[in-house]
Amino acid sequence: MQKDKVKIILGVIGADCHAVGNKILDHALTAAGFDVVNLGVLVPQKDFVNAAIETDAKAILVASLYGHGEIDCRGLRDMCREAGIGDILLYVGGNLVVGKTDFAAVEAKFKEMGYDRVYAPGTLPDKVIADLKHDLAQRGLLHG
Amino acid sequence: MQKDKVKIILGVIGADCHAVGNKILDHALTAAGFDVVNLGVLVPQKDFVNAAIETDAKAILVASLYGHGEIDCRGLRDMCREAGIGDILLYVGGNLVVGKTDFAAVEAKFKEMGYDRVYAPGTLPDKVIADLKHDLAQRGLLHG
Amino acid sequence: MELKNKKWTHDEFYAVRAEVLKQWPTGQDVDFDEAIKYHENIPANRQFAKRLVKAKQNGETLTQPRAGVALIDDHIELLNFLKKEGEADLLPTTIDSYTRQNQYKEAQHGIEESLRAGRSLLNGFPAVNHGVAGVRKVVENVDAPLQVRHGTPDARLLAEITLAGGFTSYEGGGISYNIPYAKSVSLEKTILDWQYCDRLVGIYAEHGIEINREPFGPLTGTLVPPSISHAVAIIEGILAAEQGVKNITLGYGQCGNLIQDVAAIKALEALAEEYFAKHGYTDCVLTTVFHQWMGGFPQDEAKAFAVISWGAAAAALAKATKVIVKTPHEALGIPTKEANAQGLRATKQMINMLRDQPFPLTKEVEAEIEIIKAETRCLLDKVFELGGGDYAVGTVRAFAAGVLDVPFAPSKFNLNKILPARDNNGAVRLFDVGNLPFTQDIIDFHRAKIEERGKAEGRSPSFQMVIDDIYAISNGRLVGRPR
Amino acid sequence: MELKNKKWTHDEFYAVRAEVLKQWPTGQDVDFDEAIKYHENIPANRQFAKRLVKAKQNGETLTQPRAGVALIDDHIELLNFLKKEGEADLLPTTIDSYTRQNQYKEAQHGIEESLRAGRSLLNGFPAVNHGVAGVRKVVENVDAPLQVRHGTPDARLLAEITLAGGFTSYEGGGISYNIPYAKSVSLEKTILDWQYCDRLVGIYAEHGIEINREPFGPLTGTLVPPSISHAVAIIEGILAAEQGVKNITLGYGQCGNLIQDVAAIKALEALAEEYFAKHGYTDCVLTTVFHQWMGGFPQDEAKAFAVISWGAAAAALAKATKVIVKTPHEALGIPTKEANAQGLRATKQMINMLRDQPFPLTKEVEAEIEIIKAETRCLLDKVFELGGGDYAVGTVRAFAAGVLDVPFAPSKFNLNKILPARDNNGAVRLFDVGNLPFTQDIIDFHRAKIEERGKAEGRSPSFQMVIDDIYAISNGRLVGRPR
């Protein structure tokens, strides 16, 4: 019997409606063998958490392209903890802050907020897929 | 009887052969009422001094467009002094040094070398003419 | 209220208006009669409509940036900087994303956090929260025509406040601010809500105040074929004209192939005049706006300057009335004001160098104009037919049927069945025409163009080709060739 | 030696050579046989001629900067930076101005001052002073095809040393490195001296080593009508081919009007093939180089990027084989290496975006090609006639008579009688045709074009119009309209 594919939650957080990257990531992750639950754009924090619980997902991939990431993304890790999925993989990427900022500072800030990986603008899907496979394998969650 | 026009020496110093600005400046200065002795391009320091003595010129306008200005222009004031025209007006302008440099620093350096006025790249002839009229008038050399 | 393309009566309008002005406390400060008087004192050089008409007459292409920050004084400083250092002809006020979703509490929170942080944590100016007085502070301290730019499905209160505040141009539309900007708001609702905005502008016009309106041309900004954005622009233009709008700017986002981009602007002008005349909207002044490349940018600023410059060149050669300018920071998020001014200055230099050079109407341009016109007519006429002679009704049915279909749109009311890709010369074509009501000739044309490219690249057209095209410009090319 | 366009015998060449190699001590280190062996080991990817042929076949436009500093290690670092950070396809070594005037003592002084100052006080690389070994250090530490770029009326010793050092391309010519680069050197002398350089390249070719040669296309870089620079380029090409050169790149400096620029490259290719075939030089491979705007630049870097980008666009649309790139520091003097790389990256991005877009051969382009061809033929045929069937002799007589006349040139052997100005679309025309041997039709064409502009501007054509045109681009426009 074939093992179930790993489920991952995908969505663009907050009041952000940038859909292009979301559609491409969906396509690329699906092609890479993941079972993608794509919440699309304009997704509140609680919808990410609820979807992860309902589908037993192993990772949440949050995108924020419009510069409000700092406000929108804060507290998601806490909400996961409160919902009993405190150790789920949390990735975030996009144009996370307003204005040109040193990416290392942005990365540090979002890591402190509880995100496992933070991606700069322009990151290609391949990089995210490779990281995801690595992190899931380390946790023994990836079925060869 | 009409007063003689003020004579000024014009030339591009050193191994520089940029002719366009030289021709335009010649035209503009002549139109402004000066008697222009244009030595053209590739002019050694001594030719500026000799021409000034021969024509009894009141100012020497040196251009340097190719970045060697620092080497080429050094010592011209001394050579004027030695030739007995130490107080002649000396102007210099163009792309005076190799590399992008703070213009204020360039100006200070060339003023220390004995130039009365130092022009940044892109200075229009009108500005030079106005300065020349002002400086000559101050010295009582400009006939209304 | 039942959706149809018919001018709202004053009674219909004022009944809704009472509700709109209650959506947030600042709505209470809107006083229409006082606003009319306020507009009567705005000098001609700050009136958007007048500046556009003058530019159209003179064959100018005006420059306009995007810009907006959370706090009033900072916003004023930003706009004045872009005018002075960027030499911008027209100025925007970009609205933050919370306001666009009518989340005024979150916007308030953003204002407060911005005050604390000493920098803008909002990606735009929360005009509703600042209210009429706050908006007027901006209007009175910036000496240029000002436009509201946003992406707001329900922009009624925002329109009331910014127009009463003295703005003279308002971007958006019931389709163009829904399909690319919302997930689950129905088209019936957004078209009605935008009829309200258009009717408001129409009532201003009845009082002698001319406000410019601009449907958002580029839609998702990603490989949108000209005929699709043209059909949407012309429908929104007609819906606006029906409500009494007299000055409309129709938009188009650069595709990247010069022939197609020049042809697109020419076709848009001709088609809009044709359809406006056909439906009796003859007293409306039409102008065009060209958006510099809306897709992914190279991260390198020097390369970004080339992308910006190419957009400026295409806008100037196409003789668009204005151009919306990108910045060398585009790939990195919201730009600094310095980068914004750099994009403007590069654009201005290019436009000025090209203003004396008309692009010849070659047979290639003419052929492209013809195909865009033919496609757009297929779309518009089918929408009109589906609506039983009503573009508003027809639009809702057309999106449901995939007769109108916008690539990569987030809205669930968009069928998402078409797939665009570039042809071998970089023009945007359709790899899958979905349910678009094209003639067989047109369908064959697209198929042949895509096949020609596939052959040149030695691969069958697939979704990978589309992905390659999306990332192509940021990787330095127009056509996403296989690596 | 009497000047004529005839291949030098080996005896003639070696007699002169003995003198040339004595001009500076480093000349003694040149060993031709050893140099041939050295060249035989240069890999194909570093050979200029081969890279150009490949680009021509593939329809590529290659990028090349200008760059040179006083000291060897700094120069190597600079070139590698431009390859890595600027993505340059071809690399130069720009020679300093003292070396160009054969002032090797002053160059030595510049090297020493640069060592002391810790920065380059020379505006280029003094290759003669560094000698064969020094040049080879550069060649061996830079993995790209390398060309000598300069402006040297008597470039014989420089050619001996740099070619023996392993350079695979050499810019210049007896006209193009005299008229714009010297004041009182006769054309007889420079044409003879460049026959020497060409003969040297020809002897390399006889030994199986293919060196690319490139006459300097833009001349004074200031409002030079295409037919004048084309006539000079083709004459220099023919003079080179007669001496046995087999790989020649003909150049043209951007005028700024796209139609004229595209037409100029097309006309240059066609005319060169025609005249080379007519005179029996059939085994010579011809390619083209397009120089980005050579006139005054805006001081602002963002605006400079637009000028650079427009030059890149014109080069790509015209399908020139390579483009010589300017930098955003152009108005400020010699650029930093970072600025140089930025200009290269912007150019690369533009070329790549446009590589799939052929510019249509419109009737406007065709008309412009025809006028350029007709003018160039008038010039070339008259030169040939004046020389009694000899282009070398004819050139000297043509310049004396003003049959060839380069605007704004410093040389006293140039008549300086013609005056160029832009027409109303920005194309470069002649306001005064001087003594150019044009037909009445062509003279009338130029007069009509200039009158059309004068009328549009409400002023009579005058020298002021020419001055306005010269400053126009740096002030943000192409045509110098009255203020």
Side-chain angles (χ1 to χ4, degrees):
Chain A
M1 198 182 87
Q2 207 194 338
K3 283 275 190 184
D4 281 349
K5 290 176 177 176
V6 174
K7 286 201 171 61
I8 53 175
I9 309 295
L10 192 64
V12 185
I13 201 164
D16 190 349
C17 45
H18 285 89
V20 180
N22 172 264
K23 282 175 196 285
I24 302 235
L25 211 50
D26 186 344
H27 180 270
L29 287 162
T30 304
F34 294 100
D35 187 351
V36 179
V37 181
N38 188 357
L39 307 177
V41 303
L42 294 165
V43 183
Q45 286 195 358
K46 66 173 175 357
D47 289 13
F48 281 102
V49 178
N50 291 344
I53 292 169
E54 280 165 27
T55 62
D56 189 27
K58 304 302 179 216
I60 298 176
L61 275 54
V62 178
S64 176
L65 284 302
Y66 71 149
H68 286 188
E70 208 171 333
I71 296 179
D72 292 338
C73 296
R74 201 179 291 149
L76 181 58
R77 175 62 77 190
D78 287 339
M79 198 182 277
C80 288
R81 271 193 213 104
E82 284 157 22
I85 53 166
D87 59 350
I88 193 167
L89 278 176
L90 274 186
Y91 288 12
V92 67
N95 294 316
L96 295 172
V97 297
V98 173
K100 188 182 176 178
T101 325
D102 174 45
F103 179 69
V106 173
E107 187 177 21
K109 178 175 284 177
F110 278 79
K111 286 210 161 166
E112 206 190 329
M113 281 159 62
Y115 291 84
D116 298 293
R117 292 196 182 258
V118 185
Y119 295 102
T123 306
L124 289 176
D126 297 354
K127 165 83 178 126
V128 180
I129 290 166
D131 288 343
L132 202 49
K133 287 188 173 167
H134 172 269
D135 292 352
L136 290 169
Q138 278 223 327
R139 292 169 173 222
L141 295 171
L142 200 66
H143 317 295
Chain B
M1 201 183 88
Q2 208 194 336
K3 283 274 189 186
D4 281 350
K5 289 176 176 175
V6 175
K7 286 201 171 62
I8 53 174
I9 310 295
L10 191 64
V12 185
I13 202 166
D16 191 348
C17 45
H18 284 89
V20 181
N22 172 265
K23 283 172 195 286
I24 300 219
L25 210 50
D26 187 345
H27 181 270
L29 288 162
T30 305
F34 293 100
D35 187 352
V36 179
V37 181
N38 189 356
L39 308 178
V41 303
L42 295 164
V43 183
Q45 287 195 358
K46 66 173 176 355
D47 288 12
F48 282 101
V49 178
N50 291 344
I53 292 169
E54 280 165 26
T55 63
D56 189 26
K58 302 303 179 215
I60 297 175
L61 275 55
V62 177
S64 175
L65 283 302
Y66 71 149
H68 287 187
E70 208 170 332
I71 295 179
D72 292 338
C73 296
R74 202 179 291 150
L76 181 59
R77 175 62 77 188
D78 287 339
M79 196 181 280
C80 289
R81 270 193 215 107
E82 286 156 21
I85 53 166
D87 60 348
I88 193 167
L89 279 175
L90 274 187
Y91 289 12
V92 67
N95 294 316
L96 296 173
V97 296
V98 173
K100 190 182 177 178
T101 325
D102 175 43
F103 179 69
V106 174
E107 189 178 20
K109 176 175 289 178
F110 278 79
K111 287 210 162 168
E112 208 189 327
M113 280 158 61
Y115 291 85
D116 298 293
R117 293 196 183 258
V118 185
Y119 296 101
T123 306
L124 289 177
D126 298 354
K127 166 80 177 128
V128 180
I129 290 166
D131 289 345
L132 201 50
K133 287 187 173 169
H134 173 271
D135 292 353
L136 290 168
Q138 278 222 325
R139 293 169 170 221
L141 295 171
L142 201 66
H143 319 291
Chain C
M1 186 183 266
E2 192 200 334
L3 178 67
K4 50 181 188 286
N5 180 30
K6 187 155 185 337
K7 189 189 273 193
W8 289 19
T9 64
H10 282 203
D11 285 353
E12 286 171 328
F13 178 78
Y14 285 105
V16 176
R17 187 169 199 253
E19 295 306 310
V20 167
L21 297 181
K22 280 184 209 148
Q23 287 172 350
W24 189 252
T26 52
Q28 300 307 315
D29 300 332
V30 176
D31 175 342
F32 184 79
D33 295 330
E34 188 271 345
I36 293 293
K37 289 204 190 72
Y38 187 80
H39 271 274
E40 283 168 350
N41 289 317
I42 294 177
N45 73 314
R46 295 192 191 186
Q47 292 179 36
F48 223 94
K50 285 205 171 53
R51 187 68 191 89
L52 288 171
V53 169
K54 189 176 140 202
K56 185 181 180 181
Q57 282 163 352
N58 297 344
E60 291 173 273
T61 299
L62 305 175
T63 58
Q64 183 177 0
R66 293 181 182 79
V69 287
L71 306 177
I72 293 171
D73 290 342
D74 295 348
H75 187 60
I76 291 169
E77 191 196 323
L78 171 60
L79 294 184
N80 283 320
F81 184 89
L82 296 179
K83 177 163 189 259
K84 182 159 180 287
E85 300 299 327
E87 304 166 25
D89 298 308
L90 305 168
L91 287 174
T93 285
T94 301
I95 304 299
D96 72 287
S97 289
Y98 294 132
T99 301
R100 298 183 192 189
Q101 299 294 331
N102 311 112
Q103 299 172 356
Y104 307 120
K105 266 186 204 148
E106 284 80 352
Q108 197 62 41
H109 180 61
I111 292 173
E112 285 153 18
E113 284 221 24
S114 301
L115 272 168
R116 267 196 296 277
R119 65 188 167 92
S120 184
L121 287 162
L122 293 179
N123 62 1
F125 182 77
V128 168
N129 293 63
H130 289 310
V132 173
V135 169
R136 285 191 182 173
K137 200 167 165 204
V138 174
V139 166
E140 288 162 15
N141 285 287
V142 178
D143 187 22
L146 284 171
Q147 180 185 45
V148 185
R149 299 189 72 85
H150 42 136
T152 311
D154 176 4
R156 296 172 298 172
L157 181 59
L158 181 67
E160 287 281 3
I161 286 173
T162 52
L163 296 185
F167 272 76
T168 54
S169 177
Y170 201 70
E171 196 196 32
I175 307 163
S176 62
Y177 270 10
N178 175 341
I179 300 298
Y181 284 107
K183 186 157 79 169
S184 47
V185 184
S186 76
L187 276 162
E188 286 91 337
K189 170 150 172 47
T190 52
I191 293 176
L192 278 167
D193 289 348
W194 275 90
Q195 283 182 330
Y196 178 96
C197 296
D198 286 328
R199 192 72 199 93
L200 176 62
V201 171
I203 292 174
Y204 270 100
E206 289 166 12
H207 289 74
I209 304 303
E210 200 180 20
I211 308 276
N212 169 255
R213 278 274 295 114
E214 178 186 333
F216 177 62
L219 302 174
T220 52
T222 306
L223 298 175
V224 180
S227 59
I228 290 177
S229 57
H230 283 13
V232 170
I234 290 168
I235 291 169
E236 290 193 350
I238 285 173
L239 297 181
E242 173 63 27
Q243 300 301 326
V245 176
K246 301 297 182 199
N247 189 293
I248 299 177
T249 305
L250 299 180
Y252 165 74
Q254 179 180 23
C255 280
N257 172 286
L258 183 62
I259 301 288
Q260 187 173 41
D261 286 334
V262 170
I265 289 291
K266 304 283 177 208
L268 179 57
E269 285 169 348
L271 285 164
E273 295 290 350
E274 173 187 327
Y275 275 82
F276 272 59
K278 180 171 154 185
H279 295 295
Y281 305 110
T282 51
D283 61 346
C284 206
V285 180
L286 297 175
T287 48
T288 54
V289 52
F290 184 95
H291 290 253
Q292 289 179 352
W293 180 245
M294 295 287 285
F297 258 64
Q299 299 221 7
D300 175 63
E301 294 185 21
K303 292 183 176 184
F305 269 116
V307 179
I308 289 167
S309 296
W310 185 233
L317 292 171
K319 291 266 172 217
T321 323
K322 72 172 186 179
V323 56
I324 304 290
V325 174
K326 287 281 184 180
T327 84
H329 285 180
E330 179 63 24
L332 308 166
I334 295 180
T336 60
K337 64 181 190 299
E338 289 80 11
N340 211 332
Q342 286 179 323
L344 284 161
R345 289 201 301 274
T347 300
K348 177 77 90 179
Q349 174 78 21
M350 185 65 91
I351 286 172
N352 282 345
M353 288 193 298
L354 302 197
R355 63 193 288 180
D356 302 310
Q357 302 185 40
F359 191 82
L361 207 65
T362 71
K363 62 180 192 300
E364 291 82 0
V365 173
E366 277 173 355
E368 199 64 43
I369 290 175
E370 282 319 304
I371 189 90
I372 294 170
K373 281 186 175 176
E375 289 177 23
T376 311
R377 287 199 187 99
C378 288
L379 300 176
L380 286 174
D381 296 351
K382 188 71 182 180
V383 170
F384 197 64
E385 181 196 318
L386 284 175
D390 185 301
Y391 280 111
V393 176
T395 295
V396 177
R397 293 178 186 157
F399 271 97
V403 161
L404 290 174
D405 196 348
V406 176
F408 311 106
S411 170
K412 70 179 186 191
F413 296 101
N414 187 69
L415 201 63
N416 268 311
K417 203 168 166 191
I418 67 167
L419 267 184
R422 294 193 184 277
D423 71 14
N424 210 38
N425 295 336
V428 173
R429 309 292 179 197
L430 288 159
F431 155 54
D432 185 336
V433 299
N435 296 355
L436 299 183
F438 285 167
T439 61
Q440 193 58 45
D441 279 0
I442 296 174
I443 294 169
D444 292 345
F445 170 83
H446 283 270
R447 183 169 304 143
K449 285 288 184 185
I450 298 289
E451 271 171 15
E452 183 188 32
R453 171 178 169 192
K455 213 163 170 180
E457 294 179 359
R459 62 171 170 175
S460 305
S462 71
F463 192 68
Q464 188 57 45
M465 198 182 256
V466 183
I467 294 182
D468 290 342
D469 283 349
I470 289 173
Y471 285 108
I473 288 264
S474 33
N475 291 333
R477 286 196 68 161
L478 180 61
V479 182
R481 304 294 186 187
R483 312 273 160 82
Chain D
M1 188 182 263
E2 193 199 333
L3 178 67
K4 50 180 188 284
N5 180 29
K6 183 147 189 344
K7 189 188 276 194
W8 290 19
T9 64
H10 282 205
D11 285 350
E12 285 170 329
F13 178 77
Y14 284 105
V16 176
R17 188 168 198 251
E19 295 306 309
V20 167
L21 296 181
K22 280 182 210 151
Q23 289 173 349
W24 190 252
T26 51
Q28 302 306 317
D29 301 333
V30 175
D31 176 342
F32 184 80
D33 295 330
E34 187 271 347
I36 292 294
K37 289 204 189 73
Y38 187 80
H39 272 274
E40 282 168 352
N41 288 317
I42 295 177
N45 73 314
R46 294 191 190 185
Q47 291 179 36
F48 224 92
K50 286 206 172 50
R51 187 67 191 89
L52 288 170
V53 170
K54 189 177 140 202
K56 185 181 181 181
Q57 282 163 353
N58 296 346
E60 290 173 274
T61 300
L62 305 175
T63 58
Q64 182 176 1
R66 291 181 184 79
V69 287
L71 307 177
I72 293 171
D73 289 343
D74 295 350
H75 186 60
I76 291 169
E77 191 196 323
L78 171 60
L79 294 185
N80 282 319
F81 185 89
L82 297 178
K83 178 164 190 258
K84 182 159 182 284
E85 300 299 326
E87 305 167 25
D89 298 308
L90 305 169
L91 287 173
T93 285
T94 300
I95 303 300
D96 72 288
S97 290
Y98 293 133
T99 301
R100 298 183 192 188
Q101 299 295 329
N102 311 112
Q103 299 172 355
Y104 306 121
K105 266 183 205 151
E106 284 80 353
Q108 197 62 39
H109 180 62
I111 292 173
E112 284 152 19
E113 283 221 24
S114 300
L115 272 167
R116 267 196 297 278
R119 65 189 166 90
S120 184
L121 287 164
L122 293 179
N123 62 1
F125 182 77
V128 168
N129 293 64
H130 288 312
V132 173
V135 170
R136 286 192 181 172
K137 199 167 167 204
V138 174
V139 166
E140 288 163 16
N141 285 287
V142 178
D143 187 21
L146 283 171
Q147 181 184 45
V148 184
R149 300 188 72 84
H150 42 136
T152 311
D154 176 3
R156 295 173 297 173
L157 181 59
L158 181 66
E160 289 281 2
I161 286 174
T162 53
L163 297 185
F167 272 76
T168 55
S169 175
Y170 201 70
E171 196 196 32
I175 308 163
S176 63
Y177 269 11
N178 175 341
I179 300 298
Y181 284 107
K183 187 157 77 168
S184 47
V185 184
S186 75
L187 275 163
E188 286 91 338
K189 170 154 172 49
T190 52
I191 294 176
L192 279 167
D193 288 349
W194 277 90
Q195 283 182 330
Y196 178 96
C197 297
D198 287 328
R199 192 69 201 94
L200 176 62
V201 171
I203 294 174
Y204 271 100
E206 289 166 11
H207 289 75
I209 304 302
E210 201 180 19
I211 309 276
N212 170 255
R213 279 275 295 116
E214 178 185 334
F216 176 62
L219 301 176
T220 54
T222 306
L223 299 175
V224 180
S227 58
I228 291 178
S229 57
H230 283 14
V232 170
I234 290 167
I235 291 169
E236 290 194 349
I238 285 172
L239 298 182
E242 173 62 27
Q243 300 302 325
V245 176
K246 301 298 181 197
N247 189 292
I248 299 177
T249 305
L250 299 180
Y252 165 75
Q254 179 180 24
C255 280
N257 172 285
L258 182 62
I259 301 288
Q260 187 173 40
D261 286 334
V262 170
I265 290 291
K266 304 282 178 209
L268 180 57
E269 284 169 348
L271 284 164
E273 294 290 350
E274 174 186 325
Y275 275 81
F276 271 59
K278 182 170 151 186
H279 295 294
Y281 306 110
T282 49
D283 59 347
C284 205
V285 180
L286 298 175
T287 48
T288 54
V289 51
F290 185 95
H291 291 252
Q292 290 180 352
W293 179 244
M294 295 286 287
F297 257 66
Q299 299 221 8
D300 176 63
E301 294 186 20
K303 292 183 176 185
F305 269 117
V307 179
I308 290 167
S309 296
W310 185 234
L317 291 170
K319 292 264 173 219
T321 322
K322 72 172 187 179
V323 57
I324 303 291
V325 174
K326 287 282 184 178
T327 85
H329 285 180
E330 180 62 25
L332 308 168
I334 294 180
T336 60
K337 64 181 190 297
E338 290 79 12
N340 211 332
Q342 286 180 324
L344 284 162
R345 289 200 302 273
T347 300
K348 178 77 90 177
Q349 173 78 22
M350 184 65 91
I351 286 172
N352 281 345
M353 288 193 298
L354 304 197
R355 63 193 287 177
D356 303 309
Q357 303 185 39
F359 190 82
L361 207 64
T362 71
K363 63 180 188 301
E364 292 82 359
V365 174
E366 277 171 355
E368 199 63 42
I369 290 175
E370 282 319 305
I371 189 88
I372 294 170
K373 281 186 176 176
E375 289 178 22
T376 310
R377 286 198 188 100
C378 288
L379 301 176
L380 286 174
D381 296 351
K382 187 71 181 176
V383 170
F384 197 64
E385 182 196 318
L386 284 175
D390 185 301
Y391 281 112
V393 175
T395 295
V396 177
R397 294 180 183 157
F399 270 97
V403 161
L404 289 175
D405 197 348
V406 176
F408 311 107
S411 171
K412 69 178 184 189
F413 296 100
N414 186 68
L415 200 63
N416 267 311
K417 202 169 168 193
I418 67 168
L419 267 184
R422 294 193 183 279
D423 71 14
N424 209 39
N425 295 336
V428 173
R429 309 292 180 197
L430 287 161
F431 154 53
D432 185 336
V433 299
N435 295 356
L436 299 183
F438 285 167
T439 62
Q440 194 59 46
D441 278 2
I442 294 174
I443 293 170
D444 293 345
F445 170 82
H446 283 270
R447 183 171 303 143
K449 285 289 184 184
I450 298 288
E451 271 171 16
E452 183 189 33
R453 171 177 168 192
K455 213 164 171 181
E457 294 179 358
R459 62 170 169 176
S460 305
S462 71
F463 191 68
Q464 188 57 45
M465 198 182 255
V466 183
I467 294 182
D468 291 343
D469 283 349
I470 289 173
Y471 286 108
I473 289 264
S474 33
N475 291 332
R477 286 195 69 162
L478 180 62
V479 182
R481 304 294 186 188
R483 313 273 160 84

